[in-house]
C-alpha cells in the first residue's frame, strides 16, 4: 500500500492523545461545534485505543488470539490479518508508537508464512485472492525495513503464483470457491489482487506488474453482463456489483450477486484504482477510473447512509462501523487523488463529516462486543465473523488518515 504521508506531527498527535478525554465516557459536545483541537484529541484517543486492542489481541507469533478477541468475531480465517497489518502500519505512521509497527510486522509475517508455500491449483479455495492479499502489506514492510531482504523470495513466489491464475477472460484472474459451476469472479477478491499488485509494484517497479494492474482495472471499468466475465460495473446501481454470478447466499446477504452492490468492493476497489491512477500513463484508464471511483464513493453515501451518519453495507440495511469508516476512506481517497470537483467536495464533504461524527460517537467497548454491527433491517448479516475484525482494521486505518481531523 502506498504511504499516505503524515499531516500531524508525532509530538502534536501524542500530546492530543493524552489530553484527558475519556474514550468510554463519551465525546465532548464541542466536537459538533467544530473545535479543531477537540476533534483531533478525540481522533487521537480513538486511534490509540483501537490500535492498542489489536496489539493486545495478538499472539506472540502474530495471529489473532481466540481467547482475547470479542465473542462477536473469530480468528478462523487468517486472510484478514494483512488488512489489520496495513491499518497498524498507518497507526504507526501517525503516532510513532513502535508497538504498532511490531504488531503490523507480526500480523503480516504470520500470514506470509501460512500462504507462501500453499500449492496453487485450479479451483483451490480463494487462492488467487489470497496471493494478492498476502502482498498488500509488502510495500509498508519494505518501506520501514529497507535493508531486510529475507522475505523478498516469499513475495516473489506469491506474485509468480498469482500469475498462474491469469487468463484471457475479462476478470483477468480466476478466483472463486470450490463447488460452484462458475468461477465466482468476485469483485472484492479481484480488487484485493489489484491492491497486492500495486504494493508489489511499489517495491519492484517492474513494468510488467503495472501492466497486469492496468489489465485487471478494465474489469472494473466494463459493464457487467450476468453469467459472463465481461465486467463488474452496474450503470443501474451506479457502483460495482458483488459478482457476475447468480449466487444468492453469499457471506453477508441473500440476494443474487449480479444484482447487488456492496461496500466491501467499493472500499477496496477505490484503494486499488486510486493507487493505479497515479502510476498509469494511459489516459483512457485515468478517465474511466475517475468516473467509476467517484460514482462508487457517492453510492456509499447516497444509497447507504442513514440520517444519523452511519452507513450500511448494501444500502440502508444495517449500521456497520467498518462501512461507515470505509465511506470516509473512499471520500478521502478520491478527494486526495484530485478526482472531485468543488461542487462534489461541497456536497460529499458534509456527508463524510456526518459519518465521522457517528463513528467517533459509537466507537467504544460496546462496539467491539457487537463486532461493529447494529441491526436495523437484518438484510445484511454479521457473518462470517472473521470479517468483522477486517472491518475494525479499516476503522483503525480511517482514524489514522491525515485528512480526518480537518474533514469537512
Amino acid at each position: 500500500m502506498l504511504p499516505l504521508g503524515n499531516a500531524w506531527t508525532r509530538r502534536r498527535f501524542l500530546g492530543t492523545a493524552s489530553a484527558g478525554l475519556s474514550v468510554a465516557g463519551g465525546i465532548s459536545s464541542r466536537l459538533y461545534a467544530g473545535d479543531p483541537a477537540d476533534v483531533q484529541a478525540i481522533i487521537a484517543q480513538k486511534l490509540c485505543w483501537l490500535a492498542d486492542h489489536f496489539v493486545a489481541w495478538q499472539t506472540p507469533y502474530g495471529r489473532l488470539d481466540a481467547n482475547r478477541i470479542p465473542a462477536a468475531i473469530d480468528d478462523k480465517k487468517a486472510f484478514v490479518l494483512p488488512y489489520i497489518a496495513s491499518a497498524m502500519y498507518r497507526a504507526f505512521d501517525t503516532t510513532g508508537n513502535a508497538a504498532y509497527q511490531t504488531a503490523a510486522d507480526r500480523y503480516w509475517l504470520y500470514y506470509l508464512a501460512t500462504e507462501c508455500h500453499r500449492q496453487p491449483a485450479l479451483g483451490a479455495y480463494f487462492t488467487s485472492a489470497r496471493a494478492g492479499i498476502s502482498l498488500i502489506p509488502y510495500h509498508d514492510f519494505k518501506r520501514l525495513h529497507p535493508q531486510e531482504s529475507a522475505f523478498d523470495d516469499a513475495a516473489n513466489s506469491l506474485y509468480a503464483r498469482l500469475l498462474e491464475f491469469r487468463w484471457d477472460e475479462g476478470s483477468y484472474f480466476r478466483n472463486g470457491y470450490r463447488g460452484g459451476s462458475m468461477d465466482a469472479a468476485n469483485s472484492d477478491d479481484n480488487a484485493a489482487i489489484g491492491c497486492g499488485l500495486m504494493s508489489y509494484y511499489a517495491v519492484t517497479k517492474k513494468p510488467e506488474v503495472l501492466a497486469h494492474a492496468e489489465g485487471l482495472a478494465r474489469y472494473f471499468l466494463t459493464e457487467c453482463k450476468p453469467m459472463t466475465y465481461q465486467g463488474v460495473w452496474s450503470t443501474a446501481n451506479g457502483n460495482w456489483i458483488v459478482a457476475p454470478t447468480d449466487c444468492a447466499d453469499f457471506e453477508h446477504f441473500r440476494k443474487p450477486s449480479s444484482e447487488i452492490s456492496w461496500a466491501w468492493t467499493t472500499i477496496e476497489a477505490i484503494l486499488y484504482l486510486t493507487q493505479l491512477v497515479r502510476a498509469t500513463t494511459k489516459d483512457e484508464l485515468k478517465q474511466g477510473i475517475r468516473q467509476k471511483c467517484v460514482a462508487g464513493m457517492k453510492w456509499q453515501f447516497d444509497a447507504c447512509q442513514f440520517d444519523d451518519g452511519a452507513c450500511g453495507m448494501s444500502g440502508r440495511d444495517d449500521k456497520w462501523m467498518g462501512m461507515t469508516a470505509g465511506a470516509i476512506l473512499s471520500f478521502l481517497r478520491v478527494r486526495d487523488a484530485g478526482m472531485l470537483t468543488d461542487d462534489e467536495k461541497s456536497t460529499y464533504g458534509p456527508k463524510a463529516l456526518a459519518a465521522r461524527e457517528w463513528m467517533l460517537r459509537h466507537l467504544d467497548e460496546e462496539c467491539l462486543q457487537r463486532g461493529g454491527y447494529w441491526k436495523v433491517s437484518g438484510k445484511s448479516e454479521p457473518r462470517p465473523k472473521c470479517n468483522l475484525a477486517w472491518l475494525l482494521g479499516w476503522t483503525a486505518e480511517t482514524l489514522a488518515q491525515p485528512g480526518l481531523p480537518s474533514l469537512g
Side-chain angles (χ1 to χ4, degrees), residues 353-364:
L353 181 61
R356 186 192 74 182
E357 294 182 350
W358 186 90
M359 176 181 68
L360 295 177
R361 282 190 181 276
H362 291 83
L363 185 58
D364 54 22

Side-chain angles (χ1 to χ4, degrees), residues 307-362:
D307 290 343
D308 62 1
C311 293
M313 179 181 292
S314 300
R316 296 181 187 91
D317 39 30
D318 302 289
K319 297 178 182 180
W320 291 83
M321 177 59 65
M323 297 304 170
T324 305
I328 301 168
L329 278 178
S330 295
F331 173 80
L332 290 173
R333 284 166 176 161
V334 298
R335 186 197 69 180
D336 295 347
M339 295 179 174
L340 297 181
T341 65
D342 289 342
D343 285 346
E344 287 169 334
K345 292 176 187 176
S346 297
T347 299
Y348 289 90
K351 295 176 184 288
L353 181 61
R356 186 192 74 182
E357 294 182 350
W358 186 90
M359 176 181 68
L360 295 177
R361 282 190 181 276
H362 291 83

